[in-house]
Amino acid sequence: MITPRNIDFNTFKTQLQVRKPWDIVIISILNLLITFPVFIIIHHNVIDLNWGYNLDRIFIFILVFILVHYILNALKTLAFLAILLYFFMLIYGSVFGSYGFDSVVEDYNSMLYTMSDSPYPQDIIIAKLLPFPNKSKIKSAIEYQSPKVRNFAIMATTKHFKTITGYSDYRTIIQCFAVFKEINARWNYVHDPKDGDYIATASESLLYFSGDCDDHSILMAACVRAIGGTPRLIHTKGHIYPEILIGSKQDLEKINYLIKNELFLRESWNKEIHYHIDERGQVWMNLDYTAKYPGGPFLSEEILGALTLN
């Protein structure tokens, strides 16, 4: 005998199973967003069977799409809750100028572009997913608008390389190298307290030019940004260090000449310049406290995360 209670339960269960049109649209869009990077990873790691018209790759893409579609439908409620939460986070980021819709679209496109050219596309995914340690604290500590920070950076530009002429296109980078020279000549490495990380602000580090790698990176990034340069912080194994945007590979050739023949002749003579090239082909040069010249050796080349200050 079917009781009203059973009827209500079955009706409710049936309603849950009914798929609304917007459910299908959302699941399909999310499916494609997940399928593309997964397919790229498989494409680079599975032997090419050389089927005509790339049918083997088409088959793999369809198979991945079906599998992801099945998983998303099985976890539909959880997926919708995650999407809703992420949507509100992006609204908040867009309104308050941190990480919003434009940023996530740009990051997704650049990730796909990088993965398509990389022999190890899964490493790109891992780098994107791994969090940058103490990200919010570090961003707050980079006080590039502080008068103390800017005044120090300006002092460095008047102390070093002021007489270098004929490179007007690279004046800002030369001045940022002056900041690098001044900070690294003074920097004294001091460990954090044993009970956890201590994040010093840029203005705080100006008092004694002492601290660990993240303190140095914060000060360097703040000073570079304060005079018009574009810095970023790189997270690698047990270490954080700063880099500066140089520009294109053509710009790198000219900067390389400047470093070795004009600015850091003694320190960089017959030495290699170390840098990274991002997914857009832009060159970023190492400014670590361990380097005696811009582009000095990396402690570790593996990038686990990057924090860019535009």
Side-chain angles (χ1 to χ4, degrees):
M1 180 176 179
I2 300 177
T3 65
R5 191 174 187 178
N6 288 334
I7 292 175
D8 291 340
F9 174 77
N10 291 331
T11 302
F12 178 70
K13 184 176 181 181
T14 302
Q15 290 175 347
L16 286 177
Q17 292 174 342
V18 174
R19 301 188 64 189
K20 300 179 180 62
W22 59 271
D23 289 355
I24 299 174
V25 172
I26 293 176
I27 289 294
S28 298
I29 293 174
L30 186 60
N31 189 357
L32 286 172
L33 292 175
I34 295 174
T35 298
F36 279 118
V38 172
F39 167 74
I40 292 173
I41 292 174
I42 295 175
H43 167 68
H44 281 278
N45 288 278
V46 173
I47 297 174
D48 191 349
L49 300 179
N50 293 317
W51 290 3
Y53 303 102
N54 292 317
L55 289 178
D56 57 331
R57 268 32 195 176
I58 295 174
F59 176 75
I60 290 174
F61 183 88
I62 295 173
L63 186 63
V64 171
F65 183 88
I66 294 173
L67 181 62
V68 173
H69 187 77
Y70 174 80
I71 295 173
L72 288 176
N73 275 288
L75 302 173
K76 184 169 66 176
T77 302
L78 183 61
F80 283 168
L81 288 174
I83 292 172
L84 189 63
L85 178 62
Y86 193 59
F87 183 78
F88 282 115
M89 289 174 62
L90 290 178
I91 291 177
Y92 177 86
S94 297
V95 171
F96 292 96
S98 53
Y99 190 88
F101 290 99
D102 291 341
S103 300
V104 75
V105 170
E106 182 180 351
D107 276 356
Y108 183 80
N109 289 334
S110 65
M111 180 187 71
L112 290 183
Y113 178 83
T114 308
M115 290 176 67
S116 63
D117 286 342
S118 173
Y120 306 104
Q122 60 274 13
D123 293 346
I124 307 298
I125 292 287
I126 293 173
K128 291 290 183 182
L129 293 178
L130 286 176
F132 197 95
N134 300 313
K135 180 177 180 179
S136 59
K137 290 183 179 180
I138 288 177
K139 289 186 71 174
S140 298
I142 301 174
E143 305 166 316
Y144 63 91
Q145 292 182 323
S146 166
K148 293 181 180 179
V149 172
R150 178 168 167 80
N151 287 338
F152 168 78
I154 291 175
M155 179 278 295
T157 65
T158 60
K159 185 177 178 180
H160 305 290
F161 313 140
K162 188 178 179 181
T163 59
I164 301 296
T165 59
Y167 300 95
S168 58
D169 291 342
Y170 301 101
R171 177 181 297 171
T172 298
I173 294 177
I174 292 172
Q175 291 175 341
C176 289
F177 286 169
V179 168
F180 164 87
K181 185 176 181 68
E182 185 67 20
I183 291 177
N184 280 22
R186 299 192 190 190
W187 193 256
N188 174 44
Y189 187 91
V190 178
H191 287 287
D192 281 339
K194 288 185 177 181
D195 56 353
D197 289 332
Y198 182 87
I199 307 297
T201 63
S203 56
E204 185 180 355
S205 292
L206 284 176
L207 293 174
Y208 299 106
F209 292 91
S210 298
D212 64 357
C213 59
D214 50 54
D215 300 326
H216 170 271
S217 298
I218 288 168
L219 178 59
M220 186 72 74
C223 291
V224 166
R225 179 78 184 275
I227 56 173
T230 302
R232 74 173 183 176
L233 271 57
I234 298 298
H235 170 221
T236 186
K237 292 180 179 178
H239 186 53
I240 292 176
Y241 62 92
E243 291 185 330
I244 182 174
L245 178 62
I246 295 300
S248 65
K249 290 184 179 179
Q250 183 178 359
D251 294 319
L252 175 62
E253 294 177 5
K254 296 179 180 178
I255 294 299
N256 184 30
Y257 175 84
L258 268 171
I259 291 173
K260 293 188 174 183
N261 295 275
E262 298 281 355
L263 307 178
F264 297 87
L265 176 62
R266 184 176 59 183
E267 298 89 344
S268 64
W269 176 253
N270 203 28
K271 300 290 180 61
E272 182 180 355
I273 299 294
H274 296 78
Y275 57 89
H276 288 117
I277 300 178
D278 66 16
E279 60 272 11
R280 299 175 184 85
Q282 296 178 312
V283 178
W284 298 83
M285 187 166 288
N286 179 27
L287 297 181
D288 204 348
Y289 77 92
T290 59
K292 296 181 179 180
Y293 58 94
F298 294 115
L299 283 183
S300 175
E301 289 198 44
E302 182 181 14
I303 297 179
L304 299 179
L307 178 59
T308 305
L309 304 173
N310 296 320

